[in-house]
């Protein structure tokens, strides 16, 4: 059972948006996906509470005090939505459980500065070094053709971490979330541009 950890110590980076839509992709494929919410605010679980039972099923899991190596039975994919400020034992447990780590980063200098130290922690962590945990960076709320994206890309290059995708700033995520939906639940006519941006992310997530 592959486990993907979505993590960034800074609040407002887009972790829950990334985690819920990633879960939505696997659910749309017909996989049995569990969305583990590690945050005391329980944003992912609250989102699931308003999700229609007629949509592809996503199982919610309160993972705040859970054994991350023992998700609900029958899970094909586990997506972990980490809280802001995660560190210490909670981060250790999450990284040990993960097969892959997605790190969403906004293009502002404040976000870049906030996450720089975290990258060093990730790269030197025992689970990453010894167990081959893959790390992929995702540029959030940014057009890859802009100067802001170039600044962010240069920052990623400095740490020799792969950029697996760029997601533009659009209200479609907000509108879908308000209905308990993801991009993959919407009519293609509404989400085609965003779905194209998601192709490299989901390809990376599925790659063994």
């Amino acid at each position: 059972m592959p486990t993907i950890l979505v993590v960034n110590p800074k609040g407002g980076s887009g972790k829950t948006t990334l985690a819920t839509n990633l879960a939505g992709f696997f659910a749309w494929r017909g996989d049995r996906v569990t969305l583990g919410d590690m945050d005391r605010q329980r944003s992912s679980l609250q989102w699931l509470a308003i999700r229609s039972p007629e949509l592809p099923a996503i199982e919610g899991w309160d993972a705040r005090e859970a054994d991350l190596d023992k998700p609900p039975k029958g899970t094909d994919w586990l997506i972990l939505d980490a809280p802001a400020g995660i560190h210490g034992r909670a981060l250790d447990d999450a990284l040990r459980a993960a097969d892959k780590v997605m790190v969403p980063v906004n293009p502002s200098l404040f976000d870049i500065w906030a996450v720089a130290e975290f990258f060093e922690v990730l790269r030197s962590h025992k689970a990453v070094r010894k167990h081959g945990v893959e790390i992929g960076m995702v540029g959030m709320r940014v057009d890859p053709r802009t100067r802001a994206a170039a600044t962010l890309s240069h920052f990623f290059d400095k740490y020799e971490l792969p950029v697996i995708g760029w997601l533009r700033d659009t209200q479609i995520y907000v509108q879908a979330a308000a209905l308990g939906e993801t991009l993959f639940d919407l009519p293609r006519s509404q989400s085609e541009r965003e779905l194209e941006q998601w192709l490299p992310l989901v390809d990376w997530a599925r790659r063994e």
Side-chain angles (χ1 to χ4, degrees), residues 10 23 33 48 52 63-64 67 83 143 151 160 163 176 179 199:
K10 189 177 185 301
V33 57
L48 281 175
S52 170
R64 288 174 296 177
D67 183 344
D143 185 326
T151 299
E160 299 180 344
V163 180
L179 299 173
L199 287 176

Side-chain angles (χ1 to χ4, degrees), residues 4-5 22-23 29-30 56 63 76 78 90 92 98-99 108 128 137 144 155 160 170 186 197 206:
I4 300 175
L5 172 66
L22 187 61
R29 285 190 355 140
D76 293 324
L78 174 60
D92 292 343
D99 297 292
S108 79
V128 175
M137 317 307 298
F155 174 71
E160 299 180 344
T170 169
L186 301 176
Q197 292 191 317
R206 292 182 297 172

